[in-house]
Amino acid sequence: MQSIRDLKPNFGGPPPPSMAAGPDAYLQGNIRMTLEDPELWKSFHEIGTEMIITKPGRRMFPHCKINLSGLIPCAKYILLVDMVPVDGFRYKWNKEKWEVAGKAEPQPPCRTYLHPDSPAPGSHWMKQSVSFLKLKLTNNTLDQHGHIILHSMHRYHPRFHIVQADDLFSVRWSVFQTFTFPETSFTAVTAYQNTSITKLKIDHNPFAKGFRDEGTNKKRRSNKSPACLEKRAKKSDMLNRDSEEDSPPDFCRSSYEGYDGEEGDRPKKKEADGVKEERYSSWAAEREQSVRTESPAGPEPRDMYNTEQLVPAPASYQPYRFHEYGKSPSPSSSVGSSSSSSSSGSGRSSFESRVPDVATVPDHDASKPRTLEVGPSPCGPQHLPAPQDYTGVLNMSMAHQAGKPGVIGHHIYSPYSGEQPLGQWSGPGPTQYPPPHHLTADYTTQAVHHGYHHGNVAEWSQYPLFSYSCW
DNA sequence: TCTCCTACCACATTTGAAATGC
DNA sequence: AGCATTTCAAATGTGGTAGGAG
């Protein structure tokens, strides 16, 4: 069990001397992230994890909980999570298994969840596990609450980003380190399709205790009509059969094999192939690739994790990045062995980073007009409010209040909005999906042309870590 | 007819304010 | 008055299900 980590030098210009990242940025090479409850995740993953998405937003279960080590205790870090499409397909649940139902829908507004404790010193992140319990998923593309927007019947996997930065605005110059855990991939659904998943959720989620057979749900059942009871009994039978025969994992797994490649089942190979299979193609090459007709049962679906790219960067920056990292030893290659041994011992999914010298990454986009940038770079620090000002919500209104309406920022959502209602941050209101005018042509093109033809995550990763919205 | 989505339901847990006791 | 503990109602989070849209 391991995660795939990626190092992301952020872009947009050389770090100002005052930036906390400063020299320390080059020392943060041993960050290790482990996933809590890997067994639980794995049990879901083996069946084919499904996450309910609703209009008002639904929490994940299991929720993302990680442990961090290797941080500089006194340095401040920001933790972010976003969701990346696993592939470019839409799925349907057909006869007890997932099948491809066509190309993916256009990518909804990309949002990033900011851990409410951010920014916090490394010691804070390391002293206890970090939970993303409050992260919510929605299918409402007009969502005003900052929840992560996903498409139903599409597959995603969460990415965890850790950035050494004193404040959110420093992120622009900081190094992103991205971790993914293959077993956390899931299918977004509006209603559970796989009864085995339902059963697992009910068994493990305390809020669903009322649905447990041995629980106190008799009262509820007694209120149901005979027809309902019959239906329920049928379902219950199915569940029992599922659990007794232990067949669902197998058939479900096989049904998944075609497109997600059983990431969790072949870690060894992935580790071994880590370097070799990391293909950092140029942006142009990816565009070509995206045009190809790709089968969900493609030859190397697991490459998706290995080829995950530096996300928070503008399209124009991609080629350079690919060049830089494609030729350097894969961070994951050195990690796999070390982390796998220790992680297996600890019973956690983990990944330890070995960070190359990010100082070699030049200021590629410095000359680019700010309004043409995408990703984190556009949200350069125009103003640096006190940390508590953005721990909650970073929004367009901030920029407006500051008299900087043209500054492009991102959706970074934190549940503890403090004084600023989340509803206000939503820069991109209903009229901003599809992306607003101030987006760069590059980004818009990426989103539209590549959002749903991708066969691997490398292409999906073209999406910015942050959304396109303004602060 | 089928698939997918939404609204609503009952139940469990969490949260925070009010009440109580020391 | 100040603090700690307890109580309780409201808020929130669950999956189930009926019904509607396409």
Side-chain angles (χ1 to χ4, degrees):
Chain A
M1 201 88 71
Q2 88 281 9
S3 68
I4 305 302
R5 192 197 60 87
D6 205 348
L7 180 69
K8 305 174 181 183
N10 213 338
F11 43 81
S18 60
M19 278 301 169
D24 287 344
Y26 313 128
L27 301 176
Q28 49 183 13
N30 290 312
I31 296 177
R32 179 189 184 86
M33 183 181 288
T34 59
L35 180 68
E36 287 266 310
D37 295 328
E39 293 308 315
L40 181 60
W41 276 103
K42 199 176 177 183
S43 60
F44 275 91
H45 183 69
E46 285 173 350
I47 300 173
T49 312
E50 297 173 21
M51 293 290 178
I52 292 284
I53 55 176
T54 64
K55 256 186 151 177
R58 194 82 146 190
R59 287 185 182 179
M60 296 175 71
F61 187 85
H63 68 270
C64 299
K65 201 174 178 183
I66 57 168
N67 284 281
L68 280 164
S69 63
L71 304 177
I72 301 168
C74 56
K76 284 190 173 179
Y77 294 87
I78 288 169
L79 251 62
L80 305 157
V81 176
D82 63 0
M83 298 291 168
V84 184
V86 165
D87 50 36
F89 299 98
R90 176 192 177 86
Y91 293 87
K92 66 176 178 182
W93 180 252
N94 188 22
K95 294 175 182 171
E96 308 281 314
K97 65 176 183 179
W98 287 102
E99 293 178 349
V100 172
K103 288 178 179 177
E105 292 177 30
Q107 173 76 342
C110 183
R111 286 179 174 172
T112 301
Y113 175 89
L114 168 72
H115 191 281
D117 290 354
S118 302
S123 57
H124 172 80
W125 297 119
M126 292 188 291
K127 75 182 176 189
Q128 58 193 10
S129 56
V130 181
S131 171
F132 292 90
L133 179 69
K134 306 253 179 180
L135 186 157
K136 283 188 176 181
L137 310 176
T138 182
N139 59 346
N140 182 12
T141 55
L142 307 181
D143 174 74
Q144 300 283 306
H145 298 89
H147 302 143
I148 292 181
I149 303 170
L150 305 177
H151 280 314
S152 180
M153 315 307 274
H154 289 60
R155 300 207 73 221
Y156 298 88
H157 74 84
R159 295 186 311 183
F160 304 88
H161 309 276
I162 183 160
V163 191
Q164 186 186 336
D166 265 1
D167 51 65
L168 262 173
F169 298 97
S170 307
V171 167
R172 172 187 169 91
W173 291 281
S174 302
V175 175
F176 278 75
Q177 297 199 58
T178 298
F179 300 79
T180 62
F181 300 93
E183 62 269 38
T184 58
S185 65
F186 62 89
T187 306
V189 296
T190 54
Y192 288 122
Q193 309 293 314
N194 188 343
T195 53
S196 300
I197 286 294
T198 307
K199 186 178 189 306
L200 260 183
K201 296 246 183 182
I202 290 173
D203 285 346
H204 292 93
N205 192 332
F207 281 104
K209 270 186 179 174
F211 300 102
R212 294 176 188 171
D213 286 340
E214 73 278 13
T216 55
N217 55 352
K218 290 166 187 169
K219 183 182 172 185
R220 182 191 176 111
R221 287 192 186 186
S222 65
N223 291 337
K224 297 291 176 185
S225 66
C228 290
L229 288 175
E230 194 179 335
K231 260 190 179 178
R232 195 187 178 101
K234 254 185 187 174
K235 273 203 169 179
S236 180
D237 278 348
M238 284 180 62
L239 289 180
N240 290 338
R241 228 185 313 134
D242 285 348
S243 55
E244 285 168 11
E245 296 173 5
D246 200 28
S247 59
D250 285 336
F251 86 76
C252 288
R253 182 185 309 209
S254 62
S255 69
Y256 266 106
E257 276 178 351
Y259 63 94
D260 80 352
E262 278 186 285
E263 305 91 350
D265 286 343
R266 289 181 282 182
K268 289 288 195 302
K269 180 180 186 298
K270 189 158 64 180
E271 287 165 20
D273 295 343
V275 183
K276 186 181 67 183
E277 294 184 359
E278 262 187 352
R279 297 166 308 199
Y280 292 90
S281 60
S282 67
W283 168 236
E286 292 202 11
R287 289 176 63 103
E288 280 183 20
Q289 209 174 10
S290 70
V291 175
R292 287 204 309 261
T293 304
E294 297 186 64
S295 160
E300 291 179 359
R302 290 187 305 110
D303 283 1
M304 293 183 295
Y305 291 96
N306 287 336
T307 57
E308 185 170 337
Q309 300 297 311
L310 313 177
V311 173
S316 59
Y317 186 73
Q318 296 281 347
Y320 182 84
R321 275 187 338 176
F322 291 143
H323 172 78
E324 195 69 15
Y325 286 91
K327 291 185 177 178
S328 62
S330 162
S332 61
S333 65
S334 62
V335 169
S337 55
S338 65
S339 66
S340 62
S341 57
S342 56
S343 68
S344 62
S346 67
R348 284 174 181 163
S349 183
S350 69
F351 190 92
E352 185 175 356
S353 69
R354 290 283 182 265
V355 182
D357 185 3
V358 297
T360 60
V361 178
D363 172 24
H364 193 69
D365 261 6
S367 60
K368 203 171 180 180
R370 183 156 292 179
T371 52
L372 292 180
E373 292 175 353
V374 294
S377 70
C379 63
Q382 300 300 317
H383 294 274
L384 296 176
Q388 61 269 24
D389 288 339
Y390 50 75
T391 298
V393 174
L394 303 174
N395 63 23
M396 189 184 222
S397 62
M398 288 173 65
H400 284 212
Q401 287 165 8
K404 303 280 183 182
V407 179
I408 297 176
H410 329 281
H411 284 173
I412 301 180
Y413 166 66
S414 174
Y416 307 121
S417 61
E419 297 165 289
Q420 208 152 19
L422 287 171
Q424 293 179 8
W425 75 266
S426 271
T431 59
Q432 290 184 317
Y433 177 62
H437 297 313
H438 61 250
L439 276 181
T440 86
D442 283 341
Y443 172 64
T444 312
T445 301
Q446 286 176 56
V448 173
H449 287 208
H450 302 276
Y452 28 93
H453 295 300
H454 295 168
N456 64 47
V457 166
E459 295 167 58
W460 278 108
S461 69
Q462 300 299 328
Y463 291 102
L465 173 60
F466 304 107
S467 74
Y468 49 78
S469 69
C470 298
W471 280 339

